[in-house]
Amino acid sequence: MAKRRLRTGPTAALPARPDADELLRLVRLADPDARADGDDIVAADVRIHAPVEAESDLVGGELEQVWACRVAAEGPLPFDFFDRFLAEGLAFRLGGLAVCRGEVSDPADEESRRGPAVILPVRPADDELADLLEAEEDDEGVLEGDGFRAVVVSLKSQPPAVRDLLPFAIELTAVELRGGDQERLGTLALGLAERLQGIAVDQWRFRIDSAADLVTPE
């Protein structure tokens, strides 16, 4: 694959060649219907190209060895930046970096990290959500709890990770959690998802199964 296409991205630049089965498992956290297509993976009209060895200068020398997975849209995206989110989410889980439009970013950078979200099929009542989170609403409608904030937003798009909710969804809603302790936010998100029959996802709309999924891999 031409180097310029990897630089254009979105590309997940990884420190080691990922196992094909593990890569598919991770992509299925973002789209349960993702499938292998030869050596590539296709998820919601987006193709994750098989990893190719690349030069270290792809990421400005930040990695000694680079295996690059370019992500390319082949049809309409299910929501804005889905292709970029795939590259960043994979890079985070596999200890790598993301390249997009010639810029290199570290998805694990604490300064740019956002918390998880809980996608719900029905918008909860404000007082019910406040009780569940043991939080209070401020003047701007944001829920403030002990060390975290929660913002409720209506979703116009449909992340593939929450496809199981769609047959029953009345008003697809996200409760976005913000705070400094990612693992604690993950515990809150998973608890809220269980109580309100929703699905907890990370900032890249990958489904999370444990709070540890939000912790930067060592």
Side-chain angles (χ1 to χ4, degrees), residues 44-46 74-78:
D45 284 336
V46 173
E74 297 186 330
L77 296 178

Side-chain angles (χ1 to χ4, degrees), residues 72-101:
E74 297 186 330
L77 296 178
F79 63 91
D80 290 343
F81 309 116
F82 178 63
D83 52 349
R84 182 168 185 168
F85 282 4
L86 277 173
E88 292 177 351
L90 289 173
F92 174 76
R93 282 164 177 74
L94 293 170
L97 301 170
V99 182
C100 189
R101 297 181 181 178

Side-chain angles (χ1 to χ4, degrees), residues 66-77:
V66 177
W67 286 89
C69 295
R70 183 171 181 267
V71 181
E74 297 186 330
L77 296 178

Side-chain angles (χ1 to χ4, degrees), residues 122-185:
V122 179
R123 188 183 183 97
D126 292 343
D127 56 351
E128 178 188 15
L129 186 58
D131 287 344
L132 289 173
L133 291 174
E134 298 182 359
E136 295 183 359
E137 187 174 353
D138 66 14
D139 294 338
E140 298 180 353
V142 176
L143 291 172
E144 296 273 1
D146 183 15
F148 72 91
R149 303 170 77 240
V151 180
V152 182
V153 296
S154 296
L155 292 185
K156 297 179 181 179
S157 60
Q158 300 176 347
V162 301
R163 189 167 292 147
D164 291 347
L165 297 180
L166 298 183
F168 316 103
I170 297 174
E171 183 181 2
L172 207 59
T173 300
V175 180
E176 299 181 345
L177 300 173
R178 301 288 181 265
D181 188 335
Q182 290 289 331
E183 192 164 8
R184 181 165 181 266
L185 294 179

